[in-house]
Amino acid sequence: MNPFQYTRSSAASGAIQSLVKEPQAHFLAGGTNLIDLIKMGVLRPERLVDINALPLRGIEAIAGGLRIGALASNSEVADHPLVLQDYPLLAQAINAGASPQLRNMATVGGNIMQRTRCNYFFDTAMPCNKRSPGSGCGALDGYNRMHALFGASEKCIAVNPSDMNVALTALEAVVHVKGPKRDRKIAFSDFHRLPGDHPEKDNTLERTELIISVDLPANSFNRHVHYLKVRDRTSFAFALISVAAALDLEGDKIKGARLAMGGVAHKPWRLHGAEAFLLGKTSGEDVFRQAARIAMQGAKAYKYNQFKLTLAPNAILQALKTASSLG
Ligand SMILES: Cc1cc2nc3c(=O)[nH]c(=O)nc-3n(C[C@H](O)[C@H](O)[C@H](O)COP(=O)(O)OP(=O)(O)OC[C@H]3O[C@@H](n4cnc5c(N)ncnc54)[C@H](O)[C@@H]3O)c2cc1C
């Protein structure tokens, strides 16, 4: 682990200016991802800018939805009465991740920004275009069991590891960020990116921009929801496949559907085609099975993750069945 400087910021503008001045400075929130990456030599920051003293922990109702501060802990969000009442899908997704101790430390901003769990990214002895651009992709012909089915490139087949991000995608969250020159909003679906030729960039946030909050627009997806996570252990493991499913039902008529998958792409993967197919249909196993088939169009597996081609549609089917109370 390299020595680094430590600064504790009391104002967002000061924290941002620290990153403007030093190209190797990073924001530090809960530290549960960043510190691991430093210990493993994946990152070598010269300064950590601790943002924990910034007033960004609030969770409050706003006109047309809910605002969650970037420093709210994962536990605070998952246990919040308004989240449980209006966005239970988000609570389920967060609680499917990590462990209680980690969720107490981990923040919303840090969870959104967490790096991939691809072994080749973590192992500094191996090539990885995400860690070291131009070095190659160890996973492409390596042990690629955890890797992508959609949107990958020759440069990178890693997946986004977050559970929370899958729910935020389905719920059409909006991320508020502050930069050195301006503030802006980023639709959650535009926040993370596909690897293309630049897998070193996980998302569209500029290095000097700070996530301030996440807004959840009001919706009617608060009754028939389910977050299904399939993993090697029933706790404390990242998703092989996960599905966030939300239905707006009138009787058994589907008035609206939101579906997103985790563990299948470099970004949380929204299933627009399957959602459109479900609209106006009567909920039932056959319809859900067809939706799952549509969702899988264009999937491409690698040597060791072929099993995901079967697991993913089965997980979509099961998540929809559970969300609609079919079982
Ligand atoms: C053993 C283990 C198991 C885990 N299992 C799961 C799991 O099953 N599912 C899951 O989803 N996650 C899992 N995680 C990941 C965990 O959710 C993340 O480590 C955590 O959410 C990161 O939040 P943090 O506040 O600790 O971020 P930090 O580690 O402090 O920061 C992470 C990154 O975010 C940046 N950052 C933080 N806040 C901001 C901000 N406001 N604006 C801009 N950039 C910011 C930092 O600079 C850094 O680059 C696991 C982690 C561990 C260690």
Side-chain angles (χ1 to χ4, degrees), residues 294-305:
I294 290 166
M296 293 305 293
Q297 284 168 6
K300 177 184 173 221
Y302 298 86
K303 185 171 178 189
Y304 292 101
N305 71 349

Side-chain angles (χ1 to χ4, degrees), residues 28 79 88 97 186 200 255 258 271 306:
L28 173 69
D79 292 343
I186 309 172
E200 71 278 10
K255 283 171 57 195
R258 296 277 180 81
L271 309 178
Q306 299 280 334

Side-chain angles (χ1 to χ4, degrees), residues 26-36 43 51 56 70-71 74 96-99 102 105-115 117 161-164 205 209-212 229 231 236-239:
H26 294 256
F27 298 127
L28 173 69
T32 62
N33 187 220
L34 187 57
I35 301 298
D36 278 357
L43 285 180
I51 57 173
L56 302 176
L71 286 171
N74 286 186
S99 65
L102 279 161
M105 284 302 291
T107 64
V108 166
N111 195 329
I112 293 174
M113 294 291 287
Q114 65 173 290
R115 310 298 308 270
R117 290 280 157 172
S162 166
D163 291 294
M164 187 188 76
L205 196 72
E209 284 178 320
L210 178 72
I211 299 173
I212 299 294
K229 178 173 178 180
R231 49 191 152 170
F236 210 42
F238 288 89

